[in-house]
Amino acid sequence: QVQLVESGGGLVQPGGSLRLSCTVPGSDFSFRAIGWYRQAPGKQRELVATITSGGTTNYADSVQGRFTIPRDNAENTVYLQMDSLKPEDTAVYYCNVQWGGAPWDWGQGTQVTVSS
């Protein structure tokens, strides 16, 4: 079964932009907090941005001022707008529901490669 679907990754040059999408199944999407994560080769998965059901956002220091995380409740979709991309942003990006228990099953992720 499909639980979380990420899309929008690709190859971009340093300084470029990319917009990722995350679709979350269920009729209660508007009540959920969602996070974007990334995992670079040889590194732990890290949380990069979150948005609550009320629209409060938080960002990792490494992406502060460059990434934003808007949501569209009508489409059950959270986005990650990535601007001023750097090579160190290269990773597989995942989304997941933020709650007090275990995460949902991870989706396939979407590859972001920043290279000249």
Side-chain angles (χ1 to χ4, degrees):
Q1 66 176 358
V2 176
Q3 295 178 309
L4 298 160
V5 180
E6 302 94 345
S7 63
L11 174 65
V12 296
Q13 295 182 349
S17 296
L18 206 58
R19 186 176 176 89
L20 309 183
S21 297
C22 166
T23 57
V24 182
S27 60
D28 54 354
F29 172 80
S30 64
F31 304 111
R32 299 192 185 281
I34 307 294
W36 278 100
Y37 303 75
R38 67 186 181 188
Q39 187 166 29
K43 300 292 185 68
Q44 301 277 331
R45 180 182 282 123
E46 64 173 331
L47 181 64
V48 298
T50 60
I51 184 166
T52 70
S53 61
T56 299
T57 57
N58 286 282
Y59 302 93
D61 289 345
S62 58
V63 307
Q64 183 75 44
R66 300 188 298 116
F67 291 8
T68 56
I69 183 173
R71 67 188 293 163
D72 184 346
N73 288 339
E75 298 293 333
N76 277 33
T77 299
V78 170
Y79 303 94
L80 187 65
Q81 180 65 46
M82 310 165 69
D83 299 319
S84 302
L85 283 162
K86 304 175 180 179
E88 51 262 46
D89 296 318
T90 296
V92 178
Y93 284 72
Y94 304 87
C95 61
N96 215 313
V97 175
Q98 300 287 294
W99 71 297
W104 290 17
D105 288 347
W106 297 97
Q108 66 180 11
T110 186
Q111 176 72 50
V112 172
T113 302
V114 185
S115 176
S116 58

